[in-house]
Amino acid sequence: SSDDLKVNEKTTVAELAAVLHSQAQSGKGPSHRRTETKGFAFHSSESKQPRVFCKLELDAEEHPYFRRVWFGRHRLDENSPLLTQAAKERIKMNGGYWPADMNNYQTIKKSLHFRHILVNMNGTSNANAMTVYAQKVYDLVDVNIGYRFVPMNYHDDNGVLKTDSYLLNAVCQQRGGGAEPFY
């Protein structure tokens, strides 16, 4: 069974997802809240470290009830498993703040130390109170420094809230400029 799987450097994303799904179904997984999110970082293939599965801390771990939009943000600080050891040390020496000389897309990209991030989400459907699941794997190439997602929700002429699904992965440059170019 998937509960007997030992997670190691040869574990596939599909196997890991099966274990998490099985644990969530059986109640053996993490404490059950109405909505949970889990992220796991995989170190790069060039790393001398083995693959590491760890929870990413988010600024808002739970969905704000009755809100339509939820932003999951992970702070890149001296405790982030997504950063190189050198970047963590620089942040620590700078009093916990990102050093100004590292505040450009080239240095930020070089400071990232992961290959994939697996995001699993589960929650309760408003339509039928059933548990629903979603999963997405992000690769380092999916990371766009200096961009943010565009708003997807809007009100139509009758005031009904709508979502434009074509904008799901659309981004625009953040304020302040300095974004990496798209080729």
Side-chain angles (χ1 to χ4, degrees):
S1 85
S2 62
D3 289 332
D4 299 328
L5 178 70
K6 300 294 183 215
V7 177
N8 60 37
E9 67 276 356
K10 295 179 183 174
T11 304
T12 67
V13 171
E15 291 169 332
L16 180 60
V19 169
L20 293 171
H21 179 76
S22 175
Q23 288 180 344
Q25 293 265 347
S26 67
K28 294 179 185 175
S31 64
H32 288 279
R33 292 175 288 218
R34 195 165 162 88
T35 303
E36 296 179 330
T37 182
K38 303 287 176 239
F40 295 90
F42 300 75
H43 287 281
S44 71
S45 58
E46 296 82 31
S47 174
K48 292 183 175 42
Q49 297 177 347
R51 289 185 186 174
V52 175
F53 298 89
C54 58
K55 180 179 178 186
L56 291 180
E57 297 296 325
L58 299 179
D59 287 346
E61 289 271 334
E62 293 187 38
H63 186 280
Y65 296 117
F66 307 114
R67 300 267 322 257
R68 301 248 184 233
V69 178
W70 178 30
F71 296 100
R73 293 185 184 99
H74 172 72
R75 196 171 301 272
L76 294 176
D77 60 16
E78 69 267 18
N79 300 311
S80 174
L82 301 181
L83 292 176
T84 63
Q85 193 59 39
K88 291 180 192 182
E89 289 170 9
R90 288 284 316 277
I91 294 168
K92 196 171 191 174
M93 288 184 338
N94 199 40
Y97 295 99
W98 193 269
D101 66 311
M102 293 175 61
N103 200 18
N104 59 72
Y105 76 88
Q106 296 98 333
T107 308
I108 294 170
K109 200 79 154 185
K110 287 178 187 172
S111 298
L112 296 176
H113 185 61
F114 69 91
R115 189 167 175 193
H116 306 287
I117 298 175
L118 170 65
V119 178
N120 288 303
M121 300 177 83
N122 69 312
T124 305
S125 168
N126 287 340
N128 57 14
M130 298 287 293
T131 302
V132 292
Y133 300 92
Q135 177 179 329
K136 172 73 174 149
V137 177
Y138 294 95
D139 294 314
L140 184 55
V141 297
D142 296 325
V143 175
N144 300 310
I145 308 296
Y147 293 87
R148 63 179 180 84
F149 288 104
V150 299
M152 295 175 45
N153 295 330
Y154 66 96
H155 291 280
D156 68 9
D157 294 337
N158 297 321
V160 176
L161 185 65
K162 300 273 187 165
T163 300
D164 186 345
S165 60
Y166 290 107
L167 297 175
L168 181 63
N169 289 311
V171 294
C172 62
Q173 211 174 107
Q174 291 180 355
R175 287 180 298 212
E180 69 179 307
F182 286 142
Y183 297 104

